[in-house]
Amino acid sequence: MKILVVEDEPRLGEQIIEALENTGWVPELAQDGIDALYRATSEEWDAIVMDLGLPKLDGLTVLKGIRDENINTPVVILSARDTLTQRVEGLNAGADDYLTKPFEMVELTARLRAQLRRASGNASPVIQVGNLALDTRTSKVMWQGQAINLTALEYKVVAYFMHNSDKVISRTELVEHIYKQDFDRDSNTIEVFIGRIRKKIAPNVIKTVRGLGYQLNAE
């Protein structure tokens, strides 16, 4: 899952990036409001983590700009502003959740997991699509009740399909959501990963939609 982290304090930004990478997500950092607004509205993200006290453009203005573009990406606000009025202002501006500083990384990742599940229409921490299940708390994938051993990148591919089970997903979209921006991306490797996943789970677990990409087929 591709997460935009908007935080101007370098050390905290690095800590958040590290925590999200350890969760198996693909986080990228923006350090000011102008860059954040541009990236949030010009690229596709699965979730956004947003500090309010940003240089160049404050976080609330960035958030309003995102929602003005009819972008519904889940946004979790991070802020030292912890009064009721400020929390309500953030939520009214379009935030989906609000976490006050200081905070524990485990809580941030838990809140992000919840937002990602809700965005894909799943309230339960275990996402079930046919015979395939994904436990978002433990990053375990199960097929017909049996745990499947996947590499980190194979897991990212399966998790993205599980969160978008009703979509046909192109190779380009998969590449953007499993690799960091500065990684040497090669869309041809997606075919390799999908081939491995089919061997480990079932030949038809991901079907090819000719000319468009792939779709989960976990019945």
Side-chain angles (χ1 to χ4, degrees):
M1 309 306 284
K2 186 179 172 186
I3 315 291
L4 178 62
V5 178
V6 186
E7 173 57 61
D8 67 312
E9 202 286 300
R11 186 169 179 222
L12 179 56
E14 290 173 2
Q15 290 172 338
I16 295 172
I17 292 291
E18 182 179 6
L20 300 190
E21 286 178 338
N22 289 340
T23 304
W25 295 329
V26 182
E28 296 181 16
L29 184 64
Q31 294 183 294
D32 67 69
I34 292 177
D35 184 36
L37 182 57
Y38 172 76
R39 296 185 66 185
T41 55
S42 63
E43 299 178 49
E44 185 178 338
W45 304 90
D46 295 301
I48 299 172
V49 178
M50 174 95 62
D51 184 23
L52 290 185
L54 299 170
K56 299 185 181 179
L57 203 63
D58 70 272
L60 280 180
T61 301
V62 174
L63 179 55
K64 290 173 183 175
I66 293 169
R67 297 308 187 215
D68 285 346
E69 293 293 322
N70 295 316
I71 295 170
N72 297 319
T73 305
V75 176
V76 177
I77 283 180
L78 303 178
S79 180
R81 308 173 190 176
D82 61 354
T83 67
L84 176 60
T85 300
Q86 290 163 333
R87 292 197 300 273
V88 169
E89 185 179 14
L91 294 169
N92 285 341
D96 298 276
D97 203 352
Y98 195 111
L99 190 57
T100 57
K101 298 178 179 179
F103 59 88
E104 297 292 334
M105 292 298 170
V106 65
E107 183 176 6
L108 173 60
T109 56
R111 287 174 182 259
L112 277 171
R113 282 194 191 97
Q115 292 302 326
L116 290 167
R117 290 197 307 268
R118 289 176 188 138
S120 62
N122 294 283
S124 169
V126 178
I127 301 174
Q128 185 86 34
V129 181
N131 289 309
L132 192 64
L134 169 69
D135 190 327
T136 61
R137 299 162 300 186
T138 61
S139 299
K140 283 186 177 180
V141 173
M142 288 162 284
W143 174 255
Q144 297 178 338
Q146 298 297 313
I148 304 299
N149 185 26
L150 300 174
T151 67
L153 281 171
E154 289 166 359
Y155 171 79
K156 288 180 181 181
V157 171
V158 172
Y160 192 71
F161 274 108
M162 292 291 282
H163 281 89
N164 298 275
S165 60
D166 59 338
K167 289 175 57 179
V168 175
I169 300 170
S170 68
R171 287 191 300 173
T172 300
E173 182 176 345
L174 271 175
V175 166
E176 290 176 349
H177 287 262
I178 70 170
Y179 290 124
K180 289 179 67 67
Q181 190 175 46
D182 57 0
F183 193 86
D184 184 17
R185 300 174 174 185
D186 181 1
S187 64
N188 291 326
T189 61
I190 292 299
E191 294 178 358
V192 176
F193 291 134
I194 288 177
R196 290 179 188 170
I197 291 164
R198 286 168 171 163
K199 288 179 180 178
K200 291 182 177 182
I201 300 177
N204 62 343
V205 69
I206 297 172
K207 68 179 180 180
T208 300
V209 181
R210 192 171 297 278
L212 296 175
Y214 304 95
Q215 188 170 23
L216 191 65
N217 181 34
E219 298 303 324

